[in-house]
Amino acid sequence: VHGTFFVLETMNHKAEQRAHLRKPPRLLYIRNQGNHVPICGGRCLVPLVGRSDNSVWLTLILTVGPSITWFYFVARLFVFPASVILFCCGAFVLLNVLVWLTAAFLTEPGILITEPSTEDGLFYVVHDERKFDLKDFRAKFCRETNNCVESFDHFCPWIGNAVGKRNYRFFFLFVTSVCCLDLLVGISSCVLLVVRTSHPRTFNHLLDSASDHIPASILIVYCVFIGLLISPLFGYHIWLSAKNITTNESLKNVHVDGNPYDKGICRNCYSMLCSRIRPSFVAEAPPSEEVLDSSTIQA
């Protein structure tokens, strides 16, 4: 009896190990897709950084450089506890900028597999061994990345990637966090100049304070310039999200007869910014990957 029980237990254990062997392997990016190349062992598919239309490194310089200047020449000059609060807020917002920039850059935007038709020469999306029109996926060819992207919005050189179905929310959060950082740095720099202005606070005394705190003055001008550029973009994408349309569709006036994707402001914003990110259509299972080495199974 004990021998039979031991044999059955061994058989069950081996069956569990074999079932674990049949577990679907992790999908990885194995081959190049247009100008996107696999990195990090195939876990990410990113556009080539060295291209002239890729300015992601410039974005890092334009955000991190002024932030460091602000930390040293503005935030630390406030009295306690204001200086600590500014340091914490600045670090949190800057971290968000870097996180969402990285996410928008590293996330494959929603590349679709296409092939030309032998009948009319037009390109069709191939998915699950079926052919679809590009409009069924709200797709468009991105010439900068040389890929067909689902729900194509635009190519953004500042994040170095096309903006599409899978990374739009990260682009939106990046723009939002840049706006917050711009407001924080600009307003606090203005407050510093006002606080350090001698009494009576006249315009001439304010100019004297600005000349005494040149880094803060430069940051104010810089933030006004960035704010004039980024604020309209932020408002525009709020409007796009509320309407559930892309920049490409808006510029081309695609939905002139009505938007079939419009489900109301709340559901539109949820669909654009909060819905689950679909799996990549170009990620593949490595041909030789095994979750568990078969040599670990005891005979």
Side-chain angles (χ1 to χ4, degrees), residues 88-105:
C88 293
C89 292
F92 175 77
V93 178
L94 178 60
L95 179 63
N96 272 270
V97 171
L98 298 178
V99 166
W100 300 129
L101 172 63
T102 303
F105 174 71

Side-chain angles (χ1 to χ4, degrees), residues 52 60 80 88 120 124 129 150 169 210 220 230 234 268 275:
S52 59
L60 288 172
F80 181 85
C88 293
D120 51 20
Y124 290 87
E129 300 181 352
E150 182 181 1
R169 70 190 60 190
I220 292 173
I230 201 73
F234 175 62
N268 288 343
S275 60

